[in-house]
Amino acid sequence: MQSTVTPTHCPYCALQCGMNLTPAPDGTVEVSERTDFPVNRGALCGKGRTSAAVLASNVRLTSPLVRDEGGTLVPASWDEALERIAAELGRTRAEHGPDAVGVFGGGGLTNEKAYTLGKFARVVLGTSQIDYNGRFCMSSAAAAGIKAFGLDRGLPFPLEDIPKSGCVILVGSNLAETMPPSLRFFTELKENGGTLIVIDPRRTKTAEQADLHLAPRPGTDLALALGLLHLVIAEGRVDEEYVRERTAGWEDARAAAMAHWPEYVERITGVSVPQLRETVRLFCEPESAMVLTARGPEQQSKGTDTVGAWINLCLATGRAGRPLSGYGCLTGQGNGQGGREHGQKADQLPGYRKLDDPAARAHVAEVWGVDPDSLPGPGRSAYELLDALGTDIRSLLLMASNPVVSAPRAAHIEERIRSLDFLAVCDVVLSETAALADVVLPVTQWAEETGTTTNLEGRVLLRRRAITPPEGIRSDLEVLHELAARLGVEKGFPTDPEEVFEELRRASAGGAADYSGITYRRLAEENGVFWPCPAAVEAADDPAGETPAAHPGTPRLFLDRFATPDGRARFVPVSHRAVAEEPDDEYPVLLTTGRVVAQYQSGAQTRRVAELNAAAPGPFVELHPRLAARLGAAEGDPVAVVSRRGRAVAPARITNAIRPDTVFMPFHWPGEGRANTLTNPALDPTSRMPEFKACAVRLEAVDGP
C-alpha cells in the first residue's frame, strides 16, 4: 500500500469536496482536510469524513457472485462470472433483438465510465435502451436550461460568486443537510449584506438560516414563480432594455404570468400576498441576484415548466448572463453533471450531443470507428426503461445504481427487476438491487482508481488513485473491456482511464460540453477546469502563425451571449397546473420526500458506516402536531403512510417545522419504511422526471412497536 498523501475528491455529492487520503500501516485510510480546493476549503461533512469506511473488506464486495441452481448467490471466478454475463446478454440479443437488452447507469460513475458505458451499449450491444439514475435528479432543470439558454450546466458561475450577490432565492434545497460545506457561501452572503430567501414546505435547517422563508404547498412552486413575475410586471420592475436586447418571447411569457395575480397565487400556494411582495422587493432592489433550484421544484410532473418559470423571473429582471447574477441548478449526485454529458442518457451522445442529430452521430461515429447508421436511436427514459423490464427488456446490465430503493413506485420496480430473464450488477457493495442479480461483479471504488468528475459548477476534476484495490477487484472499465471482447468487439474499450479520457476529448470536441482542451495534466495543475474548454487552435490554422495559449476554460457562461443560434435567451410561456395526484377524501394529505444529513441517496454505502447509522438509524415520518393529534400519534409511535401504490411504516417525528397538510419521509432505507414505495411515477412530458415531491397519502395508526 502506498504511504504518500494523495489529494483527491469525495465520492458523494456534486460539491466533490477536496480531501487528502493517507494509507495507514493497519490497512485503513485516513481522510484529512485539503484546504487548497475552493469549493469546500477543507470543510467536510460527516459522509465525507467517514467515506473511507466503505473501503474496508468487511463492508464491500470482494468476489464475483453467481446465482447457483438453488437460487443462492455464491462466490465465483471472474472468468465464470464474465462468461455468464456475455453469454446471457448475447443470447437475449440473438433471440429477442438488441433492444431486449437494457443498460442502466449512475450519476456516481466517472466521466470515463459514463462515456464507456454509453459506447458499450450502442457499439457492442447495439441497444437504444440505456439511461441512468440522474434522470431522477437534474433532468427537469437541464431541459429548462436548454430551452431558455441553449445549454445546460448546473451552475453557470462558480460557487464563489454567491456571497458577492445581492440576493439569492433558494428553491427546494436543504443544502445544510444535503451539501453542508456549501452553506458557508450563503452565510458569507448574509455577512456581506446580501439576502437569502428559502422556499420549502418544511422549515429545514437551511430555512432557519434565511432572511425570509416561504412555505408553499408541495407542487405549487410553478404558481409561486408566476405570481412573483406578475408582481414584477405590475410594479414596473421589468428590465425593459435587457429584455429587448438579450431575450426573445417576452410577450407570451408576460401574458401567461399576468393570469396569476397575487391573491390567486396565495390560494394555490398558501404563501401570503405580503410575503410575495416582500420577495419581489428583496430580489429586485439589489444590483445583482440569483435563483438556485434543487430537487424540490424539479422532481415534479411539471418540473421543466416550474424551472422555466424561475428562469423567466431571472430574465425579466435582467439577471441571467450578468455578473454575480443568474439562474443555477444545484446538481445532486457526485457526477450528475458529467454523467449526463457523455452518453449514458437515453437521447445523448458525448459532448452533450443529441442522438437524433445526423451531424452529431457522424462526429461520434468517426471517433468510434463505426458507421453512423449502426448507432441506435434514442431509447426509453429511466423510469420507462425500468417499467419495461421483464417484458420488452429481458436482460439488464446495471452499474452504480440501486433502483429497488431509489425508483418511484419502488415495489412495482422491484417486481419488474425480479421478472427479468437475467440481471448483472456492478457495485462496490451488495445493494438491495444487487441482491436480486444473477451475477454481481465487485468493482473498484473512488480511492482505488483514477478518473474525472464534473461538479455542480461545471468544473472538471481529477480524482486520483490513492490505494491499491484488494485482490480480486476490477474496475468498471476492465469489466466493459472484458465483456466487449467476449461479445466480439476486441478493440475500442481501453482499461486505462486517461486513455479513455483522451478519446472522450475527441468525441466531445465541438459539442456543447466541449472537453477537448482539458487534459489530466491541466486538471492536476489547475485544480480543475470549467467546460466548455475547446482545444487550442493548431499553429498551422492560426492566422498569426503562432500557437495560441490553451483555452482557460469558462467559469462564467452567457456574459456576452447565450448558447442559442441568435445569442438571445428564450422566455418560455408556462401556466400553473396541479400535481398529478391531488389529495382527496381517501388520501387527504400530501407526501414529500428528501434526504437527511447522515445518509446519501439510496443509502447503499452510507448505511454501512456505523457513525452515520448512529446519527440516522432509520426512516421516519415527519408530521405537524395538528395532524398527529387527529391521528392520535405521539412522538416515536409507528405510523403507516398509505398511497395508491403501497404502504410504508416508520416512527412519527412531530414538529411545527412542516405544514399541517404535508408529511415528509426520507428515502434512504429499504423495507417497511421505504418512502419510494409510495411515490408517484407520473412523468414530466419533457424531462421524463418522476413526481417524487408530491403525492396523495393517508395516515393510519399502527398497533405495537
Side-chain angles (χ1 to χ4, degrees), residues 550-566:
H551 191 286
T554 314
R556 295 169 181 85
L557 296 170
F558 314 138
L559 295 180
D560 298 317
R561 58 178 283 123
F562 294 97
T564 56
D566 60 5

Side-chain angles (χ1 to χ4, degrees), residues 279-297:
T279 301
V280 168
R281 184 187 71 80
L282 293 172
F283 184 69
C284 291
E285 286 187 353
E287 184 176 345
S288 58
M290 299 174 176
V291 172
L292 305 178
T293 67
R295 307 299 79 76

Side-chain angles (χ1 to χ4, degrees), residues 44-51 53 598-599 606-617:
L44 294 169
C45 73
K47 296 185 289 292
R49 284 189 298 98
T50 61
S51 54
Q599 300 289 353
T606 52
R607 284 187 276 109
R608 288 166 166 80
V609 179
E611 180 180 331
L612 300 179
N613 280 335

Side-chain angles (χ1 to χ4, degrees), residues 267-286:
R267 289 198 301 272
I268 294 171
T269 65
V271 177
S272 71
V273 173
Q275 284 185 311
L276 296 174
R277 293 190 184 278
E278 179 67 359
T279 301
V280 168
R281 184 187 71 80
L282 293 172
F283 184 69
C284 291
E285 286 187 353

Side-chain angles (χ1 to χ4, degrees), residues 222-266:
L222 174 54
L224 179 59
L226 287 162
L228 296 176
L229 182 52
H230 177 109
L231 285 171
V232 165
I233 298 165
E235 295 177 4
R237 297 181 184 269
V238 174
D239 188 331
E240 301 286 357
E241 181 181 0
Y242 174 94
V243 168
R244 184 171 58 254
E245 294 182 356
R246 298 204 61 187
T247 71
W250 168 233
E251 289 305 319
D252 288 343
R254 182 186 186 280
M258 292 310 291
H260 297 76
W261 59 95
E263 292 77 13
Y264 172 58
V265 169
E266 180 182 70

Side-chain angles (χ1 to χ4, degrees), residues 8 74 142 269 317 421 514:
T8 189
V74 297
T269 65
T317 53
D421 294 347
D514 191 335

